[in-house]
């Protein structure tokens, strides 16, 4: 089996390929790799959802990078998630209820009106938002653990 393992700022990560999800995830779990990358780059991930995630609650860090919309509603099963980065070049209309991620410490997303309860992320230290349209940052004022805020194209 051909595994693509990379060293990141947060430790080792594995690229999950759509044609070998079970093998990639078995390798990740066996080797205590808790960071996965789902990317359409070089056709590594070609499915339009990440439903497989419901079977792998050990994941703590996930990066989703696509140029087309992808259904990432299965993220809600990752209750131990600490780092979440979603970069979708298409207009991302996906919903996220941040109450599903009580341990989230680092979040990077494009904002839309289907994102809710961001103010409940009590452990969030790093927040990167694009397309945040609010006139003020009041909604973010309850993020008492926040150490770094990055706003882009707002």
């Amino acid at each position: 089996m051909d595994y693509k393992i990379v060293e990141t700022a947060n430790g080792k990560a594995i690229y999950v390929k759509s044609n070998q999800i079970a093998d990639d995830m078995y390798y990740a779990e066996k080797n205590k790799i808790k960071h996965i990358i789902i990317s359409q780059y070089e056709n590594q991930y070609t499915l339009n959802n990440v439903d497989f995630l419901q079977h792998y609650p050990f994941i703590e860090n996930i990066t989703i990078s696509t140029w087309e919309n992808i259904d990432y509603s299965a993220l809600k099963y990752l209750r131990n998630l600490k780092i979440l980065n979603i970069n979708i070049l298409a207009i991302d209309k996906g919903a996220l209820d941040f109450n599903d991620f009580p341990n989230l410490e680092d979040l990077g997303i494009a904002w839309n009106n289907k994102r809710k309860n961001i103010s409940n992320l009590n452990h969030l230290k790093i927040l990167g938002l694009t397309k945040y349209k609010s006139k003020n940052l009041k909604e973010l004022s309850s993020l008492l653990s926040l150490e770094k805020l990055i706003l882009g194209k707002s």
Side-chain angles (χ1 to χ4, degrees), residues 67-84:
W67 49 82
E68 296 174 354
N69 278 318
I70 187 169
D71 176 4
Y72 48 80
S73 58
L75 287 171
K76 66 185 172 195
Y77 296 106
L78 301 181
R79 303 289 293 176
N80 296 316
L81 203 61
K82 292 181 180 176
I83 302 173
L84 172 61

Side-chain angles (χ1 to χ4, degrees), residues 55-121:
H55 305 293
Y56 302 99
F58 70 90
I59 298 299
E60 293 181 359
N61 183 341
I62 188 164
T63 301
I64 298 174
S65 182
T66 68
W67 49 82
E68 296 174 354
N69 278 318
I70 187 169
D71 176 4
Y72 48 80
S73 58
L75 287 171
K76 66 185 172 195
Y77 296 106
L78 301 181
R79 303 289 293 176
N80 296 316
L81 203 61
K82 292 181 180 176
I83 302 173
L84 172 61
N85 287 291
I86 300 175
N87 180 17
I88 297 177
L89 295 180
I91 296 173
D92 181 7
K93 296 180 181 177
L96 281 174
D97 183 349
F98 292 107
N99 284 337
D100 291 332
F101 312 110
N103 300 309
L104 205 59
E105 297 176 3
D106 186 333
L107 173 64
I109 57 165
W111 191 255
N112 72 36
N113 61 2
K114 293 183 181 177
R115 316 281 197 218
K116 59 184 182 176
N117 297 316
I118 194 167
S119 60
N120 294 344
L121 292 175

